[in-house]
Amino acid sequence: MAALLTTRILLFCFLALLAGAADAQLSPAFYDSSCPNLESIVRSAMTQAVNREQRMAASILRLFFHDCFGCDGSILLDDTSSFTGEKNAGPNANSARGFEVIDAIKANVEAACRATVSCADILALSARDGVVLLGGPTWTVQLGRRDARTASQSAANSNLPGPGSNLRQLVSAFSAKGLSARDMTALSGAHTIGQARCATFRSRINGDANVNASFAALRRRSCPSSGGDGSLAPLDVQTPAAFDNQYYQNLLVQQGLLHSDQELFNGGSQDALVRLYSSDAAVFNRDFAAAMVRMGNIGPLTGSRGEIRVNCRRLN
């Protein structure tokens, strides 16, 4: 009887350990032993990529945003004849870019630490480093995510707020992922870098009442009322390659490029916060960094869930 009881206790402890592993928490020290040079490898490759093209910092940051309404590397998977990923979802098709940079970083990491570091974690580190390289804040990246073995184009279509979203929709989309309205407004400051396609802001510069007339006229030069969908314009017309608080200053004078941008300062609940961020870069940087950590904690796969992809574009 005692032997049976001991066996049951050992079995219970073993199952508890397995459950703990499956629900393991992220930690900045996750790869300290298994891949100690990880952060320097990623930083070096991102430095090269941004030196080649400053816009790449914004592109990688956007990939992380679009992955992190899940944070599992699913956005990196290519479509195949038997698999439909997220790259051709509405928010990503013809606009998500930087995949080859993540491929290159992954190859460098694999050379140092074979089958150890997830693509999801590489994307998280790369996004942080891109922001820093353009003068933005740094933060401690929590690590230990594993890569998804599935992807959902329909979820990408329904979960990600679009450029035509109103304030209520923006707050709701972020709230559904456990992020506050303040997080949403801080994270929107990522639009202080990068560019947007004409198709995403045409209706604003031609139809919105709360758009600066001179700004709209400037944008219409390269974004006609029809055609030219792929023509690009900077999200921040003043300092497009600097990660600063100019985005919020633009909103105060109705120079938000996207309808969803200007919704943050349009007589609503976020007006006071936009004013604060526009006048105090330190507060914006602090809130942005904290919100990035919270966003990176949305639904990661840990423990035994998912896998560590060797090639970020396909399942093992």
Side-chain angles (χ1 to χ4, degrees):
M1 183 70 168
L4 179 60
L5 179 60
T6 300
T7 300
R8 286 177 174 172
I9 291 173
L10 288 173
L11 178 60
F12 175 81
C13 291
F14 177 67
L15 292 174
L17 285 172
L18 285 180
D23 295 325
Q25 299 298 305
L26 302 181
S27 165
F30 189 84
Y31 298 108
D32 280 4
S33 297
S34 60
C35 196
N37 295 323
L38 170 62
E39 295 210 25
S40 62
I41 293 170
V42 174
R43 188 177 306 113
S44 176
M46 274 301 293
T47 299
Q48 294 177 28
V50 174
N51 284 343
R52 286 193 300 269
E53 182 189 5
Q54 286 185 318
R55 182 189 171 201
M56 191 53 68
S59 296
I60 297 299
L61 181 58
R62 185 169 185 264
L63 277 186
F64 180 67
F65 270 57
H66 284 210
D67 190 47
C68 261
F69 271 48
C71 287
D72 56 9
S74 56
I75 195 173
L76 304 173
L77 289 167
D78 282 343
D79 289 356
T80 70
S81 59
S82 58
F83 177 86
T84 300
E86 300 168 12
K87 288 184 177 179
N88 288 309
N92 301 325
N94 302 312
S95 62
R97 63 193 298 272
F99 299 106
E100 71 286 351
V101 172
I102 300 302
D103 291 341
I105 297 174
K106 176 63 170 174
N108 291 346
V109 172
E110 284 294 307
C113 317
R114 175 73 177 172
T116 300
V117 181
S118 68
C119 299
D121 277 345
I122 287 173
L123 183 54
L125 288 167
S126 300
R128 188 270 312 272
D129 290 348
V131 168
V132 172
L133 286 165
L134 294 190
T138 189
W139 57 91
T140 300
V141 176
Q142 301 293 316
L143 300 167
R145 300 169 188 81
R146 288 168 65 85
D147 296 320
R149 293 185 53 80
T150 60
S152 175
Q153 188 175 107
S154 61
N157 281 324
S158 61
N159 289 345
L160 292 166
S165 299
N166 61 35
L167 182 58
R168 179 188 58 78
Q169 291 167 329
L170 291 169
V171 171
S172 177
F174 280 74
S175 177
K177 297 299 180 178
L179 297 171
S180 68
R182 190 180 185 104
D183 290 332
M184 180 273 294
T185 299
L187 290 170
S188 296
H191 284 182
T192 192
I193 56 175
Q195 302 182 56
R197 299 169 64 245
C198 168
T200 65
F201 61 85
R202 176 184 286 117
S203 60
R204 168 157 169 73
I205 60 174
N206 287 290
D208 283 6
N210 61 345
V211 59
N212 178 280
S214 298
F215 174 74
L218 172 66
R219 294 280 67 94
R220 283 195 291 266
R221 293 179 190 174
S222 58
C223 183
S225 57
S226 63
D229 284 4
S231 296
L232 297 172
L235 286 156
D236 170 9
V237 69
Q238 307 297 335
T239 56
F243 196 99
D244 54 23
N245 65 336
Q246 181 65 51
Y247 166 80
Y248 300 100
Q249 296 174 31
N250 294 340
L251 298 184
L252 297 184
V253 293
Q254 299 186 327
Q255 291 186 9
L257 183 62
L258 306 179
H259 179 86
S260 56
D261 289 328
Q262 197 61 54
E263 280 289 290
L264 302 182
F265 189 78
N266 191 37
S269 63
Q270 300 306 293
D271 282 17
L273 187 56
V274 169
R275 288 189 187 278
L276 175 61
Y277 288 161
S278 73
S279 63
D280 196 328
V283 174
F284 162 56
N285 285 338
R286 181 198 68 198
D287 283 5
F288 181 84
M292 285 294 290
V293 173
R294 282 190 284 274
M295 186 171 68
N297 287 336
I298 297 174
L301 301 175
T302 58
S304 59
R305 296 181 296 165
E307 65 180 17
I308 304 298
R309 275 185 237 136
V310 176
N311 182 328
C312 293
R313 292 176 179 266
R314 61 174 182 263
L315 305 180
N316 291 340

